[in-house]
Each structure stands twice: as C-alpha cells, then as structure tokens.
Amino acid sequence: MSAPPRSAGPDHDALIGTLLRLVRSESTSTRASLTERTGLGRTIVTQRVNELIETGLLTEAGRGKSTGGRAPREVRFRREAACVIGVEVGASGLEVALTDLAGCPLGFHEQPWDVTRGPEATLDQVDSIIGRLRAAHQPPAVPLVGIGVGLPGPVEFATGTPVAPPIMPGWDGYPVRDRLASRHEVGVWVDNDVNVMALGELRAGTASGVRDFLYVKVGTGIGAGLVSGGRLHRGTGGCAGDIGHITVAHGTSLPCRCGKRGCLEALAGGAALARDALAHAENGSSPYLAALLGDQRPALTASDVAAGARSGDHTCVDLLRTAGERIGRTLAGLISFFNPSLVVIGGGVALSGDLLLASVRQSVYALSLPLATRSLRVEMSALSSHAGMIGAAFTAIDELLTPRQLTTWTHRLAPDSLPPAAATA
C-alpha cells in the first residue's frame, strides 16, 4: 500500500475531506458524480480520488450504468480495510465493540461493571475485553487503527481527560487517552457518554441524515448531546449539553450529585426515581414497590419503577409521568432556543416504555413555541442500549478520517485484495 500524500494546503485537505464524506455516504460513487456534487473540475477531483485510492481508503468498484457513452468506473469506501474499537464506560456497565471503518460491529461484549472501582481497574478490564474481541473477530491482516471511548462525566476532549466527574471517584484528571494509546499503540479519542451517543444516532441511528437535533440520555443521570449543522457541538470546554444540572426547582432540599440543589437530574433521573420509589415503598403508598422491598432487596431501581408502571401500579405510573413532564419542561426551553428538527430520547430509563416518552412529548409540544414544534419529532433511540459503543467507534472513525490524521495511519491499511469483512453482532 502506498504512503498517503502529504497535505498540499487547506484547499487540498478540504477536498480530500469532502470526497471521503461523499463516498462514505453512498455504496458506490463515480468520478463524474463526485465532480457534479462538489462543483469542481473533473481533473482535480480525479486526482484527489486517485490519491485516496493510493492510500487504500477507496477502491475501484467496477463499472456503473452507461448514460449513452462509456460506462463510468465506480469507486467505494473500503470499510473493511481497518478496525476500530468503541468503548462505553457506564455507571454500572461496560460495552465494547470491534467495528469496521463504517461503524458496523464485527463483534461486541457487554458486562456489569461499577465505575467507582476506579480508572486502573476499569481500563485493565477494557484492555482484557479488547484483547478477546480482537482474537475472536479481527480479520487477518486487518489492523486496529483507533479507539473511541465514552465516559459518564465531563471530559476535556482535547486531552481525553475527565474533569471532576460527579459519579467517578478517582477519575478526575486521569489520562485515559494516553493510558489506552500507550497500551494499544493507536490513536485514542475520549468524550462524555452523551456526546458519543448523539454521534452514534447521527451516523447510524434515528438521526441519520438530520442536521440539527438533540440527543437526550435519561439514565442514572440526565444529559444531552447537541448536533448543529450536522456536526457535534461540544462547546468551549467540552461540557455543552449538560442539561441535568439546570436548576428546575428552587427552594428544594433535594441534593444533586454535583453538590447543588434543584437540578433536573436530582428530580427526574434514574437515581431520583429509585429514591422516590424507596420512599413510597416504605410508607406503603405503593403495594407493588413495598412487596419488592419486602423480598429482602437492599434497594429499588428505576427499572423497578418501569416494571411497576407496566403492571399498572398507580404510584409507578405517576413517578414516570412526573419525571417525563419535568424533562419535557426543560426541553421545551431548549427547543425554543435551539430549534432542532428532532429530539432523540435514549438511556436506560428512557427504554422503560412509552409512558415517559408520552409525558416528555406532551410537555414539549405544550410549552415550546409553535414555530419551533411545527416540524419537530420526538422519538426513541433506534440504537437502544448500543448507542454509546457505536457512537464511541464513530468518535474514533470521524477523527481518523480527517485529512490531518490520514498521514498517521493509512500506511497500515489492509491490502485491497482482502474480501470485505462481514458485520456480526
């Protein structure tokens, strides 16, 4: 495989990036169609396409349909040429996927895990999972070229470092990126979990093709990922979308994990539902929850509330409806401000059923500006619980395919003669 061309300036890099994006978005393309879509001259487009073929990222894909003359040669993105790893570290679990360059899983692993065990134990476990996935699913001669990671707390994206994460004792300032990069000798990118989930939905989920949307995770905590103009918006410090700590109730005594009071997360997140469920079980207002607690269980969870709502327990129904209303009221302000065309709801609590979603929708449509909701959709995540690890893989893929990164890894690509890798899950 030839070494990739050196950057010839911003115009060269911009066209390389544009061509990669266009070819990735279709099963096949032709030089003529790329010339038409970019609006540039055929010669310059052909030169850049040929450069990308030399790097091993594109390949000839036979002849297209003739429109009267000679049938044009098609090119396609070589998704099978390399692998990446996507890692979602959750508050109570790990999910790791080995994918091709199109984010399609070749294999994945998920297991319970307590993030409070700290960074060393957690990343040692991640290393072990990566090793097993590579041994079982990585095609021969296909290199691993990057790792993407989502963490359940604020992350400084530029350095891949957690910053004062409320539920991750011992992780503050830990060099996650450098630790994984030195162990696996590939590029590593680390972001907060909601951002990687939003990216997963943008590239392969409900928001595919949508340019302006919000991804809202309702799990143990609550957060949002913002996509504007088709790009993930992280903000100056990387904490854009931290809606769980918007104050929604003044004068309340309920503390939040961030140390403040009255936060949305403290009133409507999964931990809040578990706390309120315990209170109703202890005072006897919910026979269903009281019976669960009476089965010598140490605590109740948001999943118990969801199960109770499905069984018809009025207290559980009210808890989920109230949480949805509070989340919807907060989103209504954001929707009027940001004016997205889509809100995607995901996370463990959101997967509990339609009741929470219905309550969120009701508040959003009732309280947002009419113009902001005229074409607005509020939908559940299509990727379900896998949004994090798939989005983490795309976090790495998107960075690897930027022109500034291509020269650092494309020399390692698998030969063009290898057959496409089949995605399995």
Side-chain angles (χ1 to χ4, degrees), residues 316-326 355-356 359-360 362:
C316 293
V317 169
D318 287 342
L319 287 175
L320 278 181
R321 181 179 292 121
T322 300
E325 289 172 353
R326 286 168 168 163
L355 181 60
L356 182 82
S359 296
V360 170
Q362 184 177 14

Side-chain angles (χ1 to χ4, degrees), residues 26-345:
E26 299 181 345
S27 57
T28 58
S29 301
T30 66
R31 291 167 177 80
S33 69
L34 293 170
T35 298
E36 181 179 354
R37 295 173 70 184
T38 59
L40 298 174
R42 181 180 178 85
T43 299
I44 190 67
V45 169
T46 297
Q47 288 174 348
R48 299 299 173 256
V49 168
N50 291 342
E51 287 177 11
L52 287 168
I53 289 174
E54 290 178 4
T55 69
L57 284 171
L58 302 186
T59 187
E60 301 282 3
R63 294 281 185 180
K65 292 183 179 181
S66 173
T67 58
R70 186 178 181 183
R73 284 189 174 276
E74 294 181 327
V75 294
R76 67 169 180 86
F77 179 62
R78 293 190 63 233
R79 58 192 289 175
E80 74 278 3
C83 297
V84 300
I85 289 285
V87 181
E88 182 190 4
V89 179
S92 57
L94 294 174
E95 292 189 357
V96 185
L98 177 74
T99 82
D100 62 19
L101 290 177
C104 296
L106 306 174
F108 68 87
H109 174 89
E110 51 189 329
Q111 69 173 73
W113 185 264
D114 185 355
V115 74
T116 63
R117 294 179 65 174
E120 292 290 346
T122 300
L123 295 179
D124 282 347
Q125 185 65 17
V126 169
D127 289 336
S128 177
I129 295 170
I130 291 174
R132 295 198 298 272
L133 284 173
R134 295 185 68 183
H137 300 288
Q138 186 172 346
V142 175
L144 179 73
V145 295
I147 297 174
V149 183
L151 297 178
V155 174
E156 184 180 61
F157 185 74
T159 62
T161 304
V163 179
I167 64 170
M168 302 171 68
W171 289 79
D172 184 25
Y174 188 87
V176 176
R177 183 189 68 183
D178 295 343
R179 158 70 166 71
L180 288 170
S182 64
R183 185 68 57 93
H184 299 279
E185 299 183 333
V186 296
V188 178
W189 291 270
V190 185
D191 206 342
N192 75 68
D193 57 351
V194 187
N195 278 349
V196 302
M197 291 173 182
L199 190 58
E201 292 293 340
L202 175 65
R203 296 284 181 252
T206 304
S208 180
V210 178
R211 294 184 58 78
D212 299 288
F213 77 93
L214 290 172
Y215 176 90
V216 181
K217 174 195 173 186
V218 186
T220 302
I222 299 175
L226 286 73
V227 172
S228 177
R231 298 176 63 86
L232 185 66
H233 176 73
R234 295 186 173 92
T236 301
C239 64
D242 199 356
I243 67 171
H245 302 292
I246 293 176
T247 301
V248 296
H250 296 279
T252 179
S253 61
L254 291 175
C256 182
R257 295 177 300 174
C258 70
K260 300 177 183 179
R261 298 180 185 275
C263 296
L264 176 64
E265 181 177 301
L267 276 76
L273 285 171
R275 177 200 64 221
D276 293 345
L278 178 62
H280 285 288
E282 291 177 338
N283 67 23
S285 58
S286 170
Y288 177 89
L289 294 173
L292 288 181
L293 195 62
D295 290 338
Q296 298 184 348
R297 295 179 54 178
L300 297 175
T301 67
S303 295
D304 295 326
V305 176
R310 288 192 294 270
S311 71
D313 181 81
H314 294 300
T315 297
C316 293
V317 169
D318 287 342
L319 287 175
L320 278 181
R321 181 179 292 121
T322 300
E325 289 172 353
R326 286 168 168 163
I327 295 167
R329 284 200 299 268
T330 303
L331 290 179
L334 299 176
I335 288 164
S336 295
F337 173 76
F338 178 46
N339 191 203
S341 61
L342 173 68
V343 175
V344 180
I345 308 293

